Amino acid sequence: MTTEISDLEKMASQVRRDIIKMVYECQSGHPGGSLGCADYLVALYFRVMKHNPEFNMDGAGEDLFFLSNGHISPVFYSVLARAGYFDVAELKTFRKLNSRLQGHPTTHEHLPGIRIASGSLGQGMSVAIGAALTKKINKDNGIVFSLHGDGELQEGQNWEAAMFAPFNKVDNLICTVDVNGQQIDGPTSKVLDLMNLEAKFLAFGWDVMHTDGNNMKELVATLEEAKSKTGNGKPIMILMKTEMGKGVDFMEGSHKWHGIAPNAEQLAEAFTQLEETFGDF
C-alpha cells in the first residue's frame, strides 16, 4: 500500500467496516465517534507519523500517539491491526472474555501500540505533555500526537494541561479535538456548551489550526503543516470538525450512536455503504 490520498481513503473505508463488524459481533461498543475519527487515525498511522509496528513501549526515536477518548477503541484497534501491530484476525475478539482488545484500551493486556490505559476522560492531554517533555529532555526529535473528544473538554484537568503546555513551551506536541458536537447525553451545545474553543486555546497560548476531519486530502495537509510548525515555542491544537457516524447514513450526526451496537439488518445496510477494500476480518 502507498500513502496516496486515494489509498488512505480506501483504508479508511475498510477501517469503518471493521468498526461496524467489531461492535456488532459483541453487541457492545462505541461506533459513532469511531467512524467519525477513522480518517484521522488512518492519516496518522499510514502517512503522517514516524512509527514502528515492532512495538517498543518507550518509543524512542518515534512519533507517539495517545488516545484520550478511549471509548473509541474500535477505530484505534482497527488501525493498529491494519498498520501491522498485531494480526487483523484478533479484531474478532473485541470486548470478549480474555481478549486483549478491551472496551477501553489497557496496558496490562500488553497489546502492541497501546501505551496508556484510557477512557477515564480528561487525562490524555496531561499524558501527552509528559511524553513530549520526556522527548525534549532526551533530545529525541519525535513528535507527540493526541486525540480528544469535544465533550471530554468538559473535564477540568484538560484546562490545567492547556495552561501548562504553552507556559513550558511544549512545542513538540500536536493535540487534536474531535469536534463532532455530540456526546453520550446529546449535543454538546445542550449538555454543557464549549462555546468558542479557538478563542480559549489562543488565550492559553496555543497555535490553533482547523481542519475537516472527514476530508482526507485536507486532513493530511493540515497534519503535515502542523508537523512543520513544531519547534516554534508553542504547542499546536487542531480543532477537527467531524461527523459522528461518518460513512453510515443512518448513524451520521446523532448522539444516539455514541454507544450502541447495530443489529444484523443495520450491519448489512452499513456494509452496502462502505466498500470492502483490504479484506474483512
Side-chain angles (χ1 to χ4, degrees):
M1 178 182 172
T2 69
T3 56
E4 295 297 324
I5 296 299
S6 60
D7 291 318
L8 296 174
E9 290 171 339
K10 289 177 181 177
M11 180 56 73
S13 179
Q14 186 63 57
V15 166
R16 288 187 166 99
R17 287 179 68 93
D18 290 347
I19 292 164
I20 296 296
K21 189 175 181 184
M22 290 163 68
V23 174
Y24 167 75
E25 291 201 351
C26 67
Q27 283 297 291
S28 181
H30 296 79
S34 295
L35 291 166
C37 289
D39 302 297
Y40 169 81
L41 267 295
V42 167
L44 274 188
Y45 276 84
F46 289 89
R47 171 80 175 248
V48 175
M49 284 203 316
K50 176 186 175 184
H51 65 100
N52 185 1
E54 297 295 326
F55 181 66
N56 177 281
M57 182 61 89
D58 290 340
E62 298 180 56
D63 295 336
L64 304 182
F65 171 73
F66 294 100
L67 177 68
S68 188
N69 48 333
H71 58 278
I72 66 167
S73 61
V75 65
F76 195 18
Y77 294 149
S78 171
V79 169
L80 287 174
R82 297 287 174 180
Y85 281 78
F86 55 88
D87 196 320
V88 170
E90 192 169 352
L91 296 177
K92 67 180 65 174
T93 72
F94 176 63
R95 277 184 175 248
K96 295 181 179 177
L97 290 177
N98 301 315
S99 173
R100 298 195 296 176
L101 279 62
Q102 296 293 307
H104 294 79
T106 59
T107 52
H108 71 273
E109 303 291 350
H110 303 293
L111 185 68
I114 306 299
R115 288 191 166 88
I116 61 167
S118 62
S120 295
L121 296 177
Q123 299 178 3
M125 193 179 299
S126 298
V127 174
I129 290 169
L133 284 173
T134 299
K135 283 191 174 292
K136 290 173 77 72
I137 291 169
N138 291 338
K139 302 188 186 309
D140 183 332
N141 292 326
I143 297 169
V144 177
F145 295 83
S146 64
L147 178 64
H148 314 263
D150 50 359
E152 182 184 5
L153 296 184
Q154 295 160 356
E155 297 279 359
Q157 184 174 333
N158 290 292
W159 301 103
E160 297 177 53
M163 284 190 291
F164 182 94
F167 180 79
N168 289 279
K169 295 182 171 54
V170 187
D171 57 3
N172 55 340
L173 175 67
I174 301 174
C175 297
T176 297
V177 174
D178 173 23
V179 186
N180 64 21
Q182 306 292 332
Q183 59 189 102
I184 190 169
D185 291 327
T188 54
S189 60
K190 293 184 178 179
V191 176
L192 182 58
D193 197 349
L194 299 165
M195 299 184 186
N196 190 332
L197 287 178
E198 179 181 27
K200 284 181 168 68
F201 282 103
L202 284 173
F204 279 76
W206 290 67
D207 188 342
V208 180
M209 303 174 67
H210 294 264
T211 196
D212 180 347
N214 297 137
N215 180 318
M216 187 64 77
K217 184 176 181 180
E218 180 180 332
L219 178 58
V220 166
T222 302
L223 287 167
E224 291 183 339
E225 182 183 354
K227 284 187 71 173
S228 74
K229 289 185 172 185
T230 57
N232 289 323
K234 290 184 176 184
I236 296 166
M237 173 57 68
I238 300 174
L239 299 177
M240 179 178 75
K241 183 72 176 71
T242 71
E243 190 80 18
M244 177 170 276
K246 181 66 177 179
V248 181
D249 59 8
F250 60 85
M251 293 185 178
E252 288 185 358
S254 172
H255 75 277
K256 295 178 181 179
W257 287 98
H258 171 88
I260 64 170
N263 59 32
E265 181 180 351
Q266 290 166 329
L267 172 72
E269 173 59 26
F271 270 17
T272 67
Q273 301 177 38
L274 299 168
E275 182 185 3
E276 180 182 357
T277 51
F278 292 95
D280 292 333
F281 64 85

